[in-house]
Every structure is written in structure tokens, then in C-alpha cells.
Amino acid sequence: MGSNTDKSPAWQQELDVSESLTALKRQLSEEALNEPDGRQKLLAAARSLSHSLETPGESVQRLAYLPLQTVLLQVGINLDLFNILDRSREPVTTRALAEQTGADPALLQRILRFLAAIPAIKEVGPSLFTANKLTKTLTVPPLAAGFIHNMITVNPTWAALPAFLEKTKYQNPSDGANCPFQPGHNTPETIFEWFPKHPVNHEAFMLWMTGQREGRDRWLDFFPFPERIADGFHNDDPQAVMLVDIGGGVGHEVQAIKHYYPSLPGRFILQDTPETLKRALSVVSMETMEYDFFTEQPVTVPQKGARSYYLRNILHDWPLPQCVRILKHVAAAMTPGYSKVLLNELVIPDQGADIVGLQIDFTMMCGLGAEERSAGQWHDMLDRAGLKVTRIWTRAQEAESIIEAELK
């Protein structure tokens, strides 16, 4: 009997390859590469060509076994393989690596040849390995933490998603206390309640948050802060606040602003939980303030709120009702015609969304019952809170955007 696997006609496969080649050639031009998202478009074209060349069986192999790559990268990190290979000036044998890691040589050889096939390391001879570009990436603690965080915290929630959706009749998850996180980790707690009791998971998450922007445009590279915020600031008032960073962690965003624009006047206020603020950075002109963003916003200088209220990756953690509640507290503190809201979030396009944003979207769904949002959803949310979008600033869709808003 013949195989009943669906196969596209030969002419269709040839057409797919031809179209992918044409797209790749177009992106290889100097003009295309110099576009703001030229590199990302080239990557997309190259991946499209690779996928169009696959047989159905190869496509299934690639996708079905993809989680195994994350698993064995985690094993490599645990064994410190990537640091050992990166430090060595010469290729290292399996036996030498076994002596340094304490792993069984037979097991280690199986791990190493898999990692070389990804390729997370380079195989230069029989049982002989050295570092490559990805090896070096995996020696950077904040980037390696991304694998650890996904393995021990995120992956169990992804694995729980199919059964959860079937059980809930395929309704969109919108409750952090009733999403795949609970069955994935066998707990009734939300992730915010669970993290403090699991410090290894929380530490990996916090470290990954410092590394997830690597290789992406920062918002200060495309958002004209001096023109949109600093211009119009009431510098005659010594108590005037230039920016309130709501839920801003230890102050990396304020630090970045002051690095880009060291002569900016005014006060900068970092708001977060007491525990987080204990680790706040020392930044010129930055004050710390304990604050729960589900309560009334305290920075509303008499007769004048702050010039800007900044929230980075806060709202993608929460379903719509909670987001509106957070923003209403901000709106109540703002001064009409003066104060602005700056939301540093992803904006998912209506068509042709990049896989990076969609991966984060499902991670938010599984861990928090939340989501990444489209421009239309951001407009709707802000409108419900008494605000209006004045402009959405984006350089590349897989990177962060700035949603600029003011009182209606």
C-alpha cells in the first residue's frame, strides 16, 4: 500500500521554492538590508526558503522534536559545557570534557553530538569539539537564563495548554488564577503568589528579564524623548516630575534614559514593591517610592501631575479589566494637556505577525491568562481608561513599541 501522507503537487512545491528564492534575493540587496527591519526580513526569507525545501517528513521531524533542543541545551548549561569550550583555546575531546564535568563519557558523547547537530557547539573531528557563535551566546548568564526559565517555569504551562483548552471548551484564558499555570505546576496559586516560594525559578526569571532585549532595538533608539517629553516640561518648578516609572523594577529604564540624555531636568520616580526597591540601582535624580499599581497613583503634584507615566511590560501580564483599572489610576493623577502615558509593550500586527511576539503571547496566556495586543486592542483599552492614543512608535515588529497616550 502507498503512503496516505498528503503531498503537495510537484509544481506547487517548485512554486513555493521559487517564490522563497525570489524573496531571499530581494532581501539580499544592499538597499533592503539597510532598512530598519532589513535583517529581520532577510531572516524570514531565509527561513521561508528552508521550510519550502523540506519534505513533509522533514517538517514533522523538525517541529515534533523541537522541545528536545531546549532540554539538551539545559543539560549543557547544567554541565557547564559551553563555558568550558569557550574558555579553551583548542578543541576539547569528549574524554577531557568528561573529566572536567564528571559525566559518563558514553552519555556525554551522545549529548555532545546532539548539541553539535543543532549546532550549539562545533564538531571538528571524531569526539572533538570547540565553541561556535551559539556556544559563546550560551555563556552570557542573562541569555542562558532564558533556557533555564523556560525549562523549569514556562514549559510545564505550555505542556498543560492542550488539555486546559479542551477542558474549558476552547475559551480564551483571561484569569491568572485559572490558566494553564495551575495544572502545569499542580498549584492553586497564581504565578505571582508562587514565585516567592520558588526562588530558583524566580531568580532565573529575573535574570532572563535583563537579557531578553539583547539584539533588539531599545525604545530610546526610536522614540524622540527630548521632543515628545522633555520639551514642554515645566522646569521652573523644582518639584516637577519628568517621569514616573511604574513597576519599574530596580531602575534600569531610568538609568537608560539618564544615560541617553544626562542633562534632562526634573525628578525621576521609580515605583515598585518594597522588596524590589531594596535592590534599586543608584541613579542620579532617581527617587524610589513603594507603590501597588492597583491603588491610587500618589504622584500627582498639586495642580500638576508628572510629565510622563511610563509602564514597561506591565499590562501584558494582566487581562483587560485589571489593565483598565491600572490605567484609570494613572489617568486620575494626570494633568490635562500636560501629562502623557508611555506604554512600552509589543504591538502585534493584524497580519504577518513575527513569531517572537506570538511566542510571548502564548507564554502570557499559559502563565498569566493574559496576552500581547494589537493596535486596535491598545486603542480600546486606553479608551476605556479615559485615555487616547496619540501615536504608536515602532521600528521593528518583533521589538518593543511605545504607545504614547494622553487624557481624552
Side-chain angles (χ1 to χ4, degrees), residues 81-147:
L81 286 174
F82 307 113
N83 282 308
I84 293 171
L85 288 173
D86 185 53
R87 287 194 299 262
S88 177
R89 296 183 178 182
E90 302 291 337
V92 186
T93 65
T94 300
R95 183 160 297 280
L97 287 168
E99 291 173 357
Q100 294 184 64
T101 62
D104 177 81
L107 169 65
L108 191 58
Q109 176 65 16
R110 297 169 72 180
I111 295 169
L112 290 167
R113 67 190 185 196
F114 185 99
L115 293 174
I118 298 179
I121 60 178
K122 185 177 181 180
E123 188 175 21
V124 294
S127 301
L128 192 61
F129 302 90
T130 190
N132 62 14
K133 180 181 177 181
L134 182 52
T135 311
K136 295 180 183 297
T137 296
L138 292 167
T139 64
V140 180
L143 300 181
F147 290 97

Side-chain angles (χ1 to χ4, degrees), residues 282-298:
S282 178
V283 180
V284 175
S285 303
M286 186 179 81
E287 309 165 30
T288 60
M289 179 183 292
E290 296 178 8
Y291 178 58
D292 173 358
F293 46 62
F294 286 115
T295 63
E296 181 178 340
Q297 171 58 243

Side-chain angles (χ1 to χ4, degrees), residues 152-179:
I152 65 178
T153 301
V154 177
N155 283 10
T157 73
W158 289 343
L161 179 61
F164 179 88
L165 292 179
E166 185 175 10
K167 180 180 179 181
T168 58
K169 309 298 182 185
Y170 295 92
Q171 300 302 299
N172 195 33
S174 59
D175 183 355
N178 182 27
C179 64

Side-chain angles (χ1 to χ4, degrees), residues 319-360:
L320 181 60
Q322 287 93 326
C323 291
V324 173
R325 181 180 167 192
I326 292 168
L327 289 172
K328 281 186 174 180
H329 287 305
V330 177
M334 294 170 64
T335 299
Y338 177 73
S339 300
K340 294 189 178 187
V341 173
L342 302 178
L343 304 181
N344 189 339
E345 298 274 0
L346 290 177
V347 178
I348 304 295
D350 294 328
Q351 182 178 355
D354 184 86
I355 190 63
V356 173
L358 301 180
Q359 288 171 167
I360 300 173

Side-chain angles (χ1 to χ4, degrees), residues 212-287:
Q212 63 170 335
R213 281 175 160 177
E214 200 283 329
R216 301 191 201 175
D217 292 326
R218 294 184 65 96
W219 66 283
L220 291 165
D221 293 326
F222 59 83
F223 178 74
F225 193 95
E227 291 83 0
R228 304 297 292 188
I229 304 299
D231 288 356
F233 176 68
H234 289 188
N235 197 26
D236 55 337
D237 181 359
Q239 294 301 310
V241 178
M242 177 70 79
L243 180 135
V244 181
D245 187 358
I246 301 171
V250 298
H252 285 117
E253 296 304 295
V254 174
Q255 183 183 59
I257 294 169
K258 297 296 286 186
H259 174 74
Y260 274 66
Y261 308 108
S263 62
L264 283 177
R267 298 162 61 202
F268 290 76
I269 299 178
L270 172 69
Q271 295 180 331
D272 215 300
T273 63
E275 190 64 31
T276 299
L277 293 178
K278 289 178 182 178
R279 298 179 284 110
L281 303 172
S282 178
V283 180
V284 175
S285 303
M286 186 179 81
E287 309 165 30

